[in-house]
Amino acid sequence: MEIEHAIQKAKQNDQKAFNYLLHTYWEDVYGFQLKRIGNENDAEDITIQTFSKAFDKIETYNQEYVFKTWLITISKNLHIDLLRKEKSSISRQITKSDEKAINQVLDESPSAEDKIITEQNLAKLLRDIKKLKPHYQEVINLRYFQELSYKEISVELKEPINNVKVKLLRAKKLLAEIIQTP
């Protein structure tokens, strides 16, 4: 499949085209982030986010530019956003009085009320998960309820690990939107 053809098919929401683009450019974007960050997990997370965002916004891609450059730009911007968030959320230094307060922690085992609230929240979460398309429900179930690794999910679904990662990211994003909708 030619890149331009794959991009056109992806703009029509063709999953095979998305997969082709993901496989074609995964190493480029991941390698770019790995050089920037130096941490495999963070580079992988940003790469997954890059493809997710690119696939969500594929209709905005301008063919006058090289697709790889467009992906790298998205990736770079996501990394910059992450750095800004980290910088703004850096916690203050712990003082001696803070240390004393930390050491005086009360018993935080859940009360009967806490257990009921947790069960109600779990029931709502399960209802929200059922609002997702079946393939998203499945990947959420395998990852968070059966606690399978990406590799195990890949084997279970007979899909490449990169697809599993992007699918899980999309599933989480969709689930977050469902949860936030009143």
Side-chain angles (χ1 to χ4, degrees):
M1 186 182 296
E2 183 181 321
I3 299 300
E4 289 80 21
H5 180 67
I7 293 167
Q8 290 308 315
K9 296 293 264 180
K11 285 183 176 184
Q12 297 166 6
N13 219 14
D14 182 312
Q15 191 61 44
K16 287 182 182 177
F18 286 135
N19 291 346
Y20 175 77
L21 293 170
L22 179 74
H23 291 297
T24 303
Y25 293 105
W26 177 269
E27 290 300 322
D28 294 319
V29 176
Y30 176 74
F32 170 78
Q33 281 301 336
L34 190 57
K35 285 178 190 169
R36 272 178 85 102
I37 300 172
N39 177 310
E40 290 180 9
N41 290 332
D42 291 344
E44 189 173 276
D45 286 345
I46 292 175
T47 303
I48 291 168
Q49 291 174 26
T50 299
F51 281 98
S52 179
K53 188 168 190 170
F55 293 160
D56 285 345
K57 304 288 185 188
I58 190 93
E59 70 280 351
T60 66
Y61 170 67
N62 181 345
Q63 300 228 230
E64 292 178 20
Y65 302 100
V66 177
F67 190 73
K68 177 180 165 182
T69 304
W70 185 66
L71 287 172
I72 296 293
T73 302
I74 292 170
S75 185
K76 183 172 80 173
N77 290 337
L78 284 169
H79 182 235
I80 290 168
D81 290 346
L82 180 72
L83 291 175
R84 284 184 187 138
K85 285 180 189 173
E86 286 176 359
K87 187 176 181 182
S88 68
S89 69
I90 292 176
S91 58
R92 59 186 173 83
Q93 295 292 321
I94 296 177
T95 64
K96 292 287 180 192
S97 61
D98 290 333
E99 271 185 41
K100 288 179 186 174
I102 290 169
N103 290 331
Q104 296 173 346
V105 176
L106 297 173
D107 177 19
E108 293 185 11
S109 57
S111 66
E113 295 84 7
D114 291 336
K115 289 177 183 174
I116 291 171
I117 290 169
T118 300
E119 288 173 10
Q120 288 175 341
N121 288 340
L122 181 59
K124 183 186 180 325
L125 177 62
L126 292 172
R127 282 193 305 273
D128 289 340
I129 289 171
K130 288 185 180 183
K131 293 176 185 175
L132 294 170
K133 291 181 180 177
H135 63 279
Y136 289 136
Q137 289 178 29
E138 184 177 32
V139 76
I140 292 274
N141 177 37
L142 293 171
R143 181 70 174 154
Y144 296 106
F145 292 98
Q146 295 183 31
E147 299 183 345
L148 298 183
S149 69
Y150 288 126
K151 189 172 186 176
E152 292 167 323
I153 296 170
S154 175
V155 170
E156 176 80 23
L157 298 179
K158 298 178 180 69
E159 288 187 21
I161 197 164
N162 293 341
N163 290 13
V164 169
K165 291 174 183 176
V166 171
K167 190 182 285 187
L168 186 60
L169 182 69
R170 290 179 71 99
K172 289 190 305 188
K173 182 179 179 186
L174 293 170
L175 183 58
E177 290 173 7
I178 290 169
I179 290 169
Q180 291 173 354
T181 306

PDB file of all heavy atoms in Angstrom, residues 121-155:
ATOM      1  N   ASN A 121     -19.341   2.613  42.401  1.00  0.00           N
ATOM      2  CA  ASN A 121     -18.488   3.185  41.362  1.00  0.00           C
ATOM      3  C   ASN A 121     -18.069   2.115  40.345  1.00  0.00           C
ATOM      4  O   ASN A 121     -18.024   2.386  39.146  1.00  0.00           O
ATOM      5  CB  ASN A 121     -17.249   3.835  41.969  1.00  0.00           C
ATOM      6  CG  ASN A 121     -17.575   5.132  42.690  1.00  0.00           C
ATOM      7  OD1 ASN A 121     -18.609   5.745  42.456  1.00  0.00           O
ATOM      8  ND2 ASN A 121     -16.700   5.549  43.588  1.00  0.00           N
ATOM      9  N   LEU A 122     -17.771   0.913  40.822  1.00  0.00           N
ATOM     10  CA  LEU A 122     -17.394  -0.177  39.932  1.00  0.00           C
ATOM     11  C   LEU A 122     -18.564  -0.546  39.024  1.00  0.00           C
ATOM     12  O   LEU A 122     -18.387  -0.751  37.821  1.00  0.00           O
ATOM     13  CB  LEU A 122     -16.919  -1.399  40.724  1.00  0.00           C
ATOM     14  CG  LEU A 122     -16.483  -2.592  39.894  1.00  0.00           C
ATOM     15  CD1 LEU A 122     -15.327  -2.225  38.964  1.00  0.00           C
ATOM     16  CD2 LEU A 122     -16.075  -3.756  40.789  1.00  0.00           C
ATOM     17  N   ALA A 123     -19.770  -0.593  39.602  1.00  0.00           N
ATOM     18  CA  ALA A 123     -20.957  -0.915  38.802  1.00  0.00           C
ATOM     19  C   ALA A 123     -21.168   0.139  37.717  1.00  0.00           C
ATOM     20  O   ALA A 123     -21.460  -0.191  36.564  1.00  0.00           O
ATOM     21  CB  ALA A 123     -22.191  -1.021  39.696  1.00  0.00           C
ATOM     22  N   LYS A 124     -20.990   1.417  38.060  1.00  0.00           N
ATOM     23  CA  LYS A 124     -21.135   2.491  37.070  1.00  0.00           C
ATOM     24  C   LYS A 124     -20.055   2.373  36.000  1.00  0.00           C
ATOM     25  O   LYS A 124     -20.337   2.525  34.814  1.00  0.00           O
ATOM     26  CB  LYS A 124     -21.070   3.867  37.736  1.00  0.00           C
ATOM     27  CG  LYS A 124     -21.287   4.999  36.727  1.00  0.00           C
ATOM     28  CD  LYS A 124     -21.090   6.359  37.309  1.00  0.00           C
ATOM     29  CE  LYS A 124     -21.303   7.484  36.340  1.00  0.00           C
ATOM     30  NZ  LYS A 124     -20.919   7.283  34.966  1.00  0.00           N
ATOM     31  N   LEU A 125     -18.823   2.089  36.420  1.00  0.00           N
ATOM     32  CA  LEU A 125     -17.729   1.923  35.470  1.00  0.00           C
ATOM     33  C   LEU A 125     -18.033   0.791  34.491  1.00  0.00           C
ATOM     34  O   LEU A 125     -17.841   0.935  33.282  1.00  0.00           O
ATOM     35  CB  LEU A 125     -16.408   1.660  36.197  1.00  0.00           C
ATOM     36  CG  LEU A 125     -15.193   1.406  35.305  1.00  0.00           C
ATOM     37  CD1 LEU A 125     -14.890   2.625  34.445  1.00  0.00           C
ATOM     38  CD2 LEU A 125     -13.984   1.030  36.140  1.00  0.00           C
ATOM     39  N   LEU A 126     -18.533  -0.327  34.996  1.00  0.00           N
ATOM     40  CA  LEU A 126     -18.867  -1.464  34.124  1.00  0.00           C
ATOM     41  C   LEU A 126     -19.971  -1.088  33.135  1.00  0.00           C
ATOM     42  O   LEU A 126     -19.924  -1.475  31.963  1.00  0.00           O
ATOM     43  CB  LEU A 126     -19.262  -2.686  34.961  1.00  0.00           C
ATOM     44  CG  LEU A 126     -18.119  -3.307  35.767  1.00  0.00           C
ATOM     45  CD1 LEU A 126     -18.641  -4.381  36.707  1.00  0.00           C
ATOM     46  CD2 LEU A 126     -17.047  -3.867  34.857  1.00  0.00           C
ATOM     47  N   ARG A 127     -20.963  -0.313  33.601  1.00  0.00           N
ATOM     48  CA  ARG A 127     -22.034   0.156  32.693  1.00  0.00           C
ATOM     49  C   ARG A 127     -21.446   1.055  31.605  1.00  0.00           C
ATOM     50  O   ARG A 127     -21.814   0.962  30.434  1.00  0.00           O
ATOM     51  CB  ARG A 127     -23.119   0.902  33.466  1.00  0.00           C
ATOM     52  CG  ARG A 127     -24.083   0.006  34.219  1.00  0.00           C
ATOM     53  CD  ARG A 127     -25.323   0.756  34.698  1.00  0.00           C
ATOM     54  NE  ARG A 127     -25.029   1.923  35.508  1.00  0.00           N
ATOM     55  CZ  ARG A 127     -24.842   1.910  36.824  1.00  0.00           C
ATOM     56  NH1 ARG A 127     -24.923   0.784  37.492  1.00  0.00           N
ATOM     57  NH2 ARG A 127     -24.585   3.031  37.475  1.00  0.00           N
ATOM     58  N   ASP A 128     -20.514   1.936  32.009  1.00  0.00           N
ATOM     59  CA  ASP A 128     -19.875   2.841  31.044  1.00  0.00           C
ATOM     60  C   ASP A 128     -19.034   2.063  30.036  1.00  0.00           C
ATOM     61  O   ASP A 128     -19.020   2.383  28.843  1.00  0.00           O
ATOM     62  CB  ASP A 128     -19.019   3.888  31.761  1.00  0.00           C
ATOM     63  CG  ASP A 128     -19.856   4.918  32.512  1.00  0.00           C
ATOM     64  OD1 ASP A 128     -21.045   5.064  32.197  1.00  0.00           O
ATOM     65  OD2 ASP A 128     -19.292   5.582  33.399  1.00  0.00           O
ATOM     66  N   ILE A 129     -18.329   1.044  30.493  1.00  0.00           N
ATOM     67  CA  ILE A 129     -17.514   0.221  29.592  1.00  0.00           C
ATOM     68  C   ILE A 129     -18.405  -0.461  28.559  1.00  0.00           C
ATOM     69  O   ILE A 129     -18.040  -0.570  27.386  1.00  0.00           O
ATOM     70  CB  ILE A 129     -16.680  -0.808  30.383  1.00  0.00           C
ATOM     71  CG1 ILE A 129     -15.564  -0.091  31.159  1.00  0.00           C
ATOM     72  CG2 ILE A 129     -16.083  -1.872  29.470  1.00  0.00           C
ATOM     73  CD1 ILE A 129     -14.806  -0.965  32.138  1.00  0.00           C
ATOM     74  N   LYS A 130     -19.597  -0.882  28.968  1.00  0.00           N
ATOM     75  CA  LYS A 130     -20.517  -1.555  28.043  1.00  0.00           C
ATOM     76  C   LYS A 130     -21.035  -0.623  26.949  1.00  0.00           C
ATOM     77  O   LYS A 130     -21.573  -1.082  25.951  1.00  0.00           O
ATOM     78  CB  LYS A 130     -21.676  -2.187  28.807  1.00  0.00           C
ATOM     79  CG  LYS A 130     -21.231  -3.407  29.583  1.00  0.00           C
ATOM     80  CD  LYS A 130     -22.368  -4.126  30.238  1.00  0.00           C
ATOM     81  CE  LYS A 130     -21.787  -5.330  30.973  1.00  0.00           C
ATOM     82  NZ  LYS A 130     -22.760  -6.146  31.600  1.00  0.00           N
ATOM     83  N   LYS A 131     -20.845   0.682  27.113  1.00  0.00           N
ATOM     84  CA  LYS A 131     -21.245   1.646  26.083  1.00  0.00           C
ATOM     85  C   LYS A 131     -20.221   1.705  24.948  1.00  0.00           C
ATOM     86  O   LYS A 131     -20.500   2.258  23.888  1.00  0.00           O
ATOM     87  CB  LYS A 131     -21.423   3.041  26.695  1.00  0.00           C
ATOM     88  CG  LYS A 131     -22.593   3.121  27.660  1.00  0.00           C
ATOM     89  CD  LYS A 131     -22.670   4.493  28.304  1.00  0.00           C
ATOM     90  CE  LYS A 131     -23.761   4.546  29.357  1.00  0.00           C
ATOM     91  NZ  LYS A 131     -23.764   5.832  30.067  1.00  0.00           N
ATOM     92  N   LEU A 132     -19.022   1.160  25.178  1.00  0.00           N
ATOM     93  CA  LEU A 132     -17.977   1.133  24.148  1.00  0.00           C
ATOM     94  C   LEU A 132     -18.284   0.056  23.114  1.00  0.00           C
ATOM     95  O   LEU A 132     -19.018  -0.897  23.392  1.00  0.00           O
ATOM     96  CB  LEU A 132     -16.611   0.836  24.784  1.00  0.00           C
ATOM     97  CG  LEU A 132     -16.034   1.874  25.727  1.00  0.00           C
ATOM     98  CD1 LEU A 132     -14.811   1.321  26.442  1.00  0.00           C
ATOM     99  CD2 LEU A 132     -15.667   3.140  24.978  1.00  0.00           C
ATOM    100  N   LYS A 133     -17.667   0.185  21.941  1.00  0.00           N
ATOM    101  CA  LYS A 133     -17.764  -0.871  20.931  1.00  0.00           C
ATOM    102  C   LYS A 133     -17.127  -2.136  21.496  1.00  0.00           C
ATOM    103  O   LYS A 133     -16.198  -2.061  22.304  1.00  0.00           O
ATOM    104  CB  LYS A 133     -17.052  -0.450  19.647  1.00  0.00           C
ATOM    105  CG  LYS A 133     -17.766   0.670  18.920  1.00  0.00           C
ATOM    106  CD  LYS A 133     -17.043   1.035  17.648  1.00  0.00           C
ATOM    107  CE  LYS A 133     -17.764   2.148  16.919  1.00  0.00           C
ATOM    108  NZ  LYS A 133     -17.052   2.571  15.722  1.00  0.00           N
ATOM    109  N   PRO A 134     -17.599  -3.324  21.065  1.00  0.00           N
ATOM    110  CA  PRO A 134     -17.108  -4.592  21.639  1.00  0.00           C
ATOM    111  C   PRO A 134     -15.593  -4.757  21.618  1.00  0.00           C
ATOM    112  O   PRO A 134     -15.022  -5.254  22.592  1.00  0.00           O
ATOM    113  CB  PRO A 134     -17.795  -5.650  20.772  1.00  0.00           C
ATOM    114  CG  PRO A 134     -19.042  -4.988  20.293  1.00  0.00           C
ATOM    115  CD  PRO A 134     -18.685  -3.536  20.113  1.00  0.00           C
ATOM    116  N   HIS A 135     -14.911  -4.344  20.539  1.00  0.00           N
ATOM    117  CA  HIS A 135     -13.465  -4.543  20.509  1.00  0.00           C
ATOM    118  C   HIS A 135     -12.749  -3.655  21.528  1.00  0.00           C
ATOM    119  O   HIS A 135     -11.690  -4.018  22.034  1.00  0.00           O
ATOM    120  CB  HIS A 135     -12.890  -4.382  19.096  1.00  0.00           C
ATOM    121  CG  HIS A 135     -13.058  -3.029  18.495  1.00  0.00           C
ATOM    122  ND1 HIS A 135     -14.220  -2.607  17.903  1.00  0.00           N
ATOM    123  CD2 HIS A 135     -12.186  -1.999  18.389  1.00  0.00           C
ATOM    124  CE1 HIS A 135     -14.069  -1.372  17.450  1.00  0.00           C
ATOM    125  NE2 HIS A 135     -12.851  -0.979  17.741  1.00  0.00           N
ATOM    126  N   TYR A 136     -13.320  -2.503  21.867  1.00  0.00           N
ATOM    127  CA  TYR A 136     -12.747  -1.670  22.913  1.00  0.00           C
ATOM    128  C   TYR A 136     -13.048  -2.258  24.292  1.00  0.00           C
ATOM    129  O   TYR A 136     -12.207  -2.223  25.188  1.00  0.00           O
ATOM    130  CB  TYR A 136     -13.264  -0.239  22.822  1.00  0.00           C
ATOM    131  CG  TYR A 136     -12.731   0.541  21.647  1.00  0.00           C
ATOM    132  CD1 TYR A 136     -13.554   1.334  20.871  1.00  0.00           C
ATOM    133  CD2 TYR A 136     -11.382   0.479  21.294  1.00  0.00           C
ATOM    134  CE1 TYR A 136     -13.071   2.049  19.786  1.00  0.00           C
ATOM    135  CE2 TYR A 136     -10.880   1.189  20.212  1.00  0.00           C
ATOM    136  CZ  TYR A 136     -11.723   1.967  19.474  1.00  0.00           C
ATOM    137  OH  TYR A 136     -11.230   2.667  18.405  1.00  0.00           O
ATOM    138  N   GLN A 137     -14.244  -2.797  24.460  1.00  0.00           N
ATOM    139  CA  GLN A 137     -14.593  -3.457  25.722  1.00  0.00           C
ATOM    140  C   GLN A 137     -13.610  -4.590  25.998  1.00  0.00           C
ATOM    141  O   GLN A 137     -13.129  -4.757  27.119  1.00  0.00           O
ATOM    142  CB  GLN A 137     -16.002  -4.049  25.661  1.00  0.00           C
ATOM    143  CG  GLN A 137     -17.124  -3.049  25.658  1.00  0.00           C
ATOM    144  CD  GLN A 137     -18.477  -3.732  25.555  1.00  0.00           C
ATOM    145  OE1 GLN A 137     -18.659  -4.856  25.999  1.00  0.00           O
ATOM    146  NE2 GLN A 137     -19.431  -3.031  24.961  1.00  0.00           N
ATOM    147  N   GLU A 138     -13.329  -5.362  24.959  1.00  0.00           N
ATOM    148  CA  GLU A 138     -12.453  -6.521  25.106  1.00  0.00           C
ATOM    149  C   GLU A 138     -11.043  -6.123  25.547  1.00  0.00           C
ATOM    150  O   GLU A 138     -10.486  -6.715  26.465  1.00  0.00           O
ATOM    151  CB  GLU A 138     -12.402  -7.289  23.782  1.00  0.00           C
ATOM    152  CG  GLU A 138     -11.588  -8.556  23.862  1.00  0.00           C
ATOM    153  CD  GLU A 138     -11.603  -9.342  22.565  1.00  0.00           C
ATOM    154  OE1 GLU A 138     -11.695  -8.738  21.477  1.00  0.00           O
ATOM    155  OE2 GLU A 138     -11.516 -10.576  22.650  1.00  0.00           O
ATOM    156  N   VAL A 139     -10.478  -5.104  24.912  1.00  0.00           N
ATOM    157  CA  VAL A 139      -9.114  -4.706  25.241  1.00  0.00           C
ATOM    158  C   VAL A 139      -9.045  -4.114  26.659  1.00  0.00           C
ATOM    159  O   VAL A 139      -8.092  -4.362  27.400  1.00  0.00           O
ATOM    160  CB  VAL A 139      -8.523  -3.764  24.154  1.00  0.00           C
ATOM    161  CG1 VAL A 139      -9.057  -2.366  24.244  1.00  0.00           C
ATOM    162  CG2 VAL A 139      -7.011  -3.767  24.201  1.00  0.00           C
ATOM    163  N   ILE A 140     -10.067  -3.366  27.078  1.00  0.00           N
ATOM    164  CA  ILE A 140     -10.129  -2.836  28.450  1.00  0.00           C
ATOM    165  C   ILE A 140     -10.209  -3.995  29.443  1.00  0.00           C
ATOM    166  O   ILE A 140      -9.510  -4.021  30.457  1.00  0.00           O
ATOM    167  CB  ILE A 140     -11.346  -1.897  28.623  1.00  0.00           C
ATOM    168  CG1 ILE A 140     -11.191  -0.615  27.814  1.00  0.00           C
ATOM    169  CG2 ILE A 140     -11.623  -1.611  30.106  1.00  0.00           C
ATOM    170  CD1 ILE A 140     -10.437   0.497  28.468  1.00  0.00           C
ATOM    171  N   ASN A 141     -11.061  -4.968  29.148  1.00  0.00           N
ATOM    172  CA  ASN A 141     -11.228  -6.131  30.010  1.00  0.00           C
ATOM    173  C   ASN A 141      -9.913  -6.893  30.163  1.00  0.00           C
ATOM    174  O   ASN A 141      -9.503  -7.225  31.280  1.00  0.00           O
ATOM    175  CB  ASN A 141     -12.325  -7.048  29.460  1.00  0.00           C
ATOM    176  CG  ASN A 141     -12.477  -8.309  30.277  1.00  0.00           C
ATOM    177  OD1 ASN A 141     -12.356  -8.294  31.493  1.00  0.00           O
ATOM    178  ND2 ASN A 141     -12.737  -9.412  29.614  1.00  0.00           N
ATOM    179  N   LEU A 142      -9.261  -7.158  29.047  1.00  0.00           N
ATOM    180  CA  LEU A 142      -8.014  -7.929  29.090  1.00  0.00           C
ATOM    181  C   LEU A 142      -6.919  -7.199  29.879  1.00  0.00           C
ATOM    182  O   LEU A 142      -6.193  -7.810  30.644  1.00  0.00           O
ATOM    183  CB  LEU A 142      -7.527  -8.233  27.671  1.00  0.00           C
ATOM    184  CG  LEU A 142      -8.402  -9.186  26.860  1.00  0.00           C
ATOM    185  CD1 LEU A 142      -7.935  -9.244  25.410  1.00  0.00           C
ATOM    186  CD2 LEU A 142      -8.406 -10.578  27.478  1.00  0.00           C
ATOM    187  N   ARG A 143      -6.822  -5.897  29.693  1.00  0.00           N
ATOM    188  CA  ARG A 143      -5.747  -5.135  30.329  1.00  0.00           C
ATOM    189  C   ARG A 143      -6.006  -4.876  31.812  1.00  0.00           C
ATOM    190  O   ARG A 143      -5.131  -5.072  32.642  1.00  0.00           O
ATOM    191  CB  ARG A 143      -5.546  -3.807  29.582  1.00  0.00           C
ATOM    192  CG  ARG A 143      -4.436  -2.959  30.153  1.00  0.00           C
ATOM    193  CD  ARG A 143      -3.095  -3.557  29.884  1.00  0.00           C
ATOM    194  NE  ARG A 143      -2.047  -2.645  30.332  1.00  0.00           N
ATOM    195  CZ  ARG A 143      -0.858  -3.025  30.697  1.00  0.00           C
ATOM    196  NH1 ARG A 143      -0.524  -4.289  30.643  1.00  0.00           N
ATOM    197  NH2 ARG A 143       0.025  -2.152  31.089  1.00  0.00           N
ATOM    198  N   TYR A 144      -7.216  -4.425  32.150  1.00  0.00           N
ATOM    199  CA  TYR A 144      -7.454  -3.949  33.512  1.00  0.00           C
ATOM    200  C   TYR A 144      -8.183  -4.932  34.422  1.00  0.00           C
ATOM    201  O   TYR A 144      -8.023  -4.863  35.635  1.00  0.00           O
ATOM    202  CB  TYR A 144      -8.205  -2.616  33.471  1.00  0.00           C
ATOM    203  CG  TYR A 144      -7.370  -1.564  32.810  1.00  0.00           C
ATOM    204  CD1 TYR A 144      -7.652  -1.123  31.528  1.00  0.00           C
ATOM    205  CD2 TYR A 144      -6.234  -1.056  33.430  1.00  0.00           C
ATOM    206  CE1 TYR A 144      -6.853  -0.187  30.894  1.00  0.00           C
ATOM    207  CE2 TYR A 144      -5.431  -0.115  32.807  1.00  0.00           C
ATOM    208  CZ  TYR A 144      -5.744   0.315  31.545  1.00  0.00           C
ATOM    209  OH  TYR A 144      -4.937   1.229  30.935  1.00  0.00           O
ATOM    210  N   PHE A 145      -8.961  -5.821  33.868  1.00  0.00           N
ATOM    211  CA  PHE A 145      -9.662  -6.778  34.724  1.00  0.00           C
ATOM    212  C   PHE A 145      -8.940  -8.122  34.767  1.00  0.00           C
ATOM    213  O   PHE A 145      -8.874  -8.759  35.804  1.00  0.00           O
ATOM    214  CB  PHE A 145     -11.124  -6.937  34.280  1.00  0.00           C
ATOM    215  CG  PHE A 145     -11.930  -5.683  34.522  1.00  0.00           C
ATOM    216  CD1 PHE A 145     -12.160  -4.784  33.498  1.00  0.00           C
ATOM    217  CD2 PHE A 145     -12.422  -5.392  35.783  1.00  0.00           C
ATOM    218  CE1 PHE A 145     -12.872  -3.619  33.726  1.00  0.00           C
ATOM    219  CE2 PHE A 145     -13.131  -4.233  36.022  1.00  0.00           C
ATOM    220  CZ  PHE A 145     -13.359  -3.337  34.990  1.00  0.00           C
ATOM    221  N   GLN A 146      -8.387  -8.548  33.620  1.00  0.00           N
ATOM    222  CA  GLN A 146      -7.610  -9.787  33.605  1.00  0.00           C
ATOM    223  C   GLN A 146      -6.123  -9.514  33.829  1.00  0.00           C
ATOM    224  O   GLN A 146      -5.334 -10.443  33.958  1.00  0.00           O
ATOM    225  CB  GLN A 146      -7.844 -10.540  32.295  1.00  0.00           C
ATOM    226  CG  GLN A 146      -9.277 -11.010  32.154  1.00  0.00           C
ATOM    227  CD  GLN A 146      -9.492 -11.820  30.896  1.00  0.00           C
ATOM    228  OE1 GLN A 146      -8.594 -12.507  30.426  1.00  0.00           O
ATOM    229  NE2 GLN A 146     -10.683 -11.736  30.342  1.00  0.00           N
ATOM    230  N   GLU A 147      -5.744  -8.226  33.804  1.00  0.00           N
ATOM    231  CA  GLU A 147      -4.378  -7.776  34.067  1.00  0.00           C
ATOM    232  C   GLU A 147      -3.336  -8.445  33.178  1.00  0.00           C
ATOM    233  O   GLU A 147      -2.256  -8.829  33.628  1.00  0.00           O
ATOM    234  CB  GLU A 147      -4.030  -7.959  35.550  1.00  0.00           C
ATOM    235  CG  GLU A 147      -4.932  -7.160  36.461  1.00  0.00           C
ATOM    236  CD  GLU A 147      -4.570  -7.260  37.935  1.00  0.00           C
ATOM    237  OE1 GLU A 147      -3.794  -8.158  38.315  1.00  0.00           O
ATOM    238  OE2 GLU A 147      -5.066  -6.437  38.696  1.00  0.00           O
ATOM    239  N   LEU A 148      -3.659  -8.550  31.891  1.00  0.00           N
ATOM    240  CA  LEU A 148      -2.706  -9.116  30.936  1.00  0.00           C
ATOM    241  C   LEU A 148      -1.738  -8.038  30.472  1.00  0.00           C
ATOM    242  O   LEU A 148      -2.082  -6.857  30.427  1.00  0.00           O
ATOM    243  CB  LEU A 148      -3.441  -9.690  29.718  1.00  0.00           C
ATOM    244  CG  LEU A 148      -4.416 -10.846  29.952  1.00  0.00           C
ATOM    245  CD1 LEU A 148      -4.989 -11.314  28.627  1.00  0.00           C
ATOM    246  CD2 LEU A 148      -3.756 -11.995  30.674  1.00  0.00           C
ATOM    247  N   SER A 149      -0.547  -8.432  30.100  1.00  0.00           N
ATOM    248  CA  SER A 149       0.432  -7.502  29.552  1.00  0.00           C
ATOM    249  C   SER A 149       0.047  -7.195  28.099  1.00  0.00           C
ATOM    250  O   SER A 149      -0.769  -7.890  27.504  1.00  0.00           O
ATOM    251  CB  SER A 149       1.831  -8.127  29.587  1.00  0.00           C
ATOM    252  OG  SER A 149       1.894  -9.201  28.664  1.00  0.00           O
ATOM    253  N   TYR A 150       0.684  -6.176  27.523  1.00  0.00           N
ATOM    254  CA  TYR A 150       0.430  -5.852  26.114  1.00  0.00           C
ATOM    255  C   TYR A 150       0.731  -7.066  25.239  1.00  0.00           C
ATOM    256  O   TYR A 150      -0.008  -7.376  24.313  1.00  0.00           O
ATOM    257  CB  TYR A 150       1.299  -4.677  25.664  1.00  0.00           C
ATOM    258  CG  TYR A 150       0.890  -3.342  26.230  1.00  0.00           C
ATOM    259  CD1 TYR A 150       1.812  -2.560  26.906  1.00  0.00           C
ATOM    260  CD2 TYR A 150      -0.400  -2.846  26.073  1.00  0.00           C
ATOM    261  CE1 TYR A 150       1.466  -1.329  27.428  1.00  0.00           C
ATOM    262  CE2 TYR A 150      -0.758  -1.614  26.602  1.00  0.00           C
ATOM    263  CZ  TYR A 150       0.173  -0.862  27.272  1.00  0.00           C
ATOM    264  OH  TYR A 150      -0.178   0.354  27.779  1.00  0.00           O
ATOM    265  N   LYS A 151       1.824  -7.741  25.548  1.00  0.00           N
ATOM    266  CA  LYS A 151       2.229  -8.902  24.745  1.00  0.00           C
ATOM    267  C   LYS A 151       1.179 -10.008  24.842  1.00  0.00           C
ATOM    268  O   LYS A 151       0.824 -10.625  23.833  1.00  0.00           O
ATOM    269  CB  LYS A 151       3.599  -9.405  25.222  1.00  0.00           C
ATOM    270  CG  LYS A 151       4.196 -10.462  24.334  1.00  0.00           C
ATOM    271  CD  LYS A 151       5.615 -10.780  24.746  1.00  0.00           C
ATOM    272  CE  LYS A 151       6.237 -11.740  23.741  1.00  0.00           C
ATOM    273  NZ  LYS A 151       7.632 -12.005  24.038  1.00  0.00           N
ATOM    274  N   GLU A 152       0.673 -10.268  26.045  1.00  0.00           N
ATOM    275  CA  GLU A 152      -0.352 -11.303  26.227  1.00  0.00           C
ATOM    276  C   GLU A 152      -1.643 -10.938  25.496  1.00  0.00           C
ATOM    277  O   GLU A 152      -2.297 -11.789  24.903  1.00  0.00           O
ATOM    278  CB  GLU A 152      -0.627 -11.530  27.721  1.00  0.00           C
ATOM    279  CG  GLU A 152       0.541 -12.162  28.460  1.00  0.00           C
ATOM    280  CD  GLU A 152       0.392 -12.108  29.967  1.00  0.00           C
ATOM    281  OE1 GLU A 152      -0.126 -11.108  30.513  1.00  0.00           O
ATOM    282  OE2 GLU A 152       0.817 -13.089  30.622  1.00  0.00           O
ATOM    283  N   ILE A 153      -2.005  -9.655  25.545  1.00  0.00           N
ATOM    284  CA  ILE A 153      -3.203  -9.195  24.826  1.00  0.00           C
ATOM    285  C   ILE A 153      -2.999  -9.369  23.326  1.00  0.00           C
ATOM    286  O   ILE A 153      -3.895  -9.800  22.608  1.00  0.00           O
ATOM    287  CB  ILE A 153      -3.527  -7.724  25.164  1.00  0.00           C
ATOM    288  CG1 ILE A 153      -3.886  -7.582  26.649  1.00  0.00           C
ATOM    289  CG2 ILE A 153      -4.670  -7.204  24.298  1.00  0.00           C
ATOM    290  CD1 ILE A 153      -3.983  -6.148  27.132  1.00  0.00           C
ATOM    291  N   SER A 154      -1.801  -9.049  22.861  1.00  0.00           N
ATOM    292  CA  SER A 154      -1.465  -9.199  21.450  1.00  0.00           C
ATOM    293  C   SER A 154      -1.664 -10.646  20.996  1.00  0.00           C
ATOM    294  O   SER A 154      -2.243 -10.896  19.938  1.00  0.00           O
ATOM    295  CB  SER A 154      -0.018  -8.756  21.230  1.00  0.00           C
ATOM    296  OG  SER A 154       0.390  -8.996  19.919  1.00  0.00           O
ATOM    297  N   VAL A 155      -1.210 -11.579  21.804  1.00  0.00           N
ATOM    298  CA  VAL A 155      -1.367 -13.003  21.479  1.00  0.00           C
ATOM    299  C   VAL A 155      -2.849 -13.391  21.519  1.00  0.00           C
ATOM    300  O   VAL A 155      -3.357 -14.057  20.614  1.00  0.00           O
ATOM    301  CB  VAL A 155      -0.544 -13.881  22.468  1.00  0.00           C
ATOM    302  CG1 VAL A 155      -0.874 -15.347  22.315  1.00  0.00           C
ATOM    303  CG2 VAL A 155       0.946 -13.629  22.267  1.00  0.00           C
TER     304      VAL A 155
END
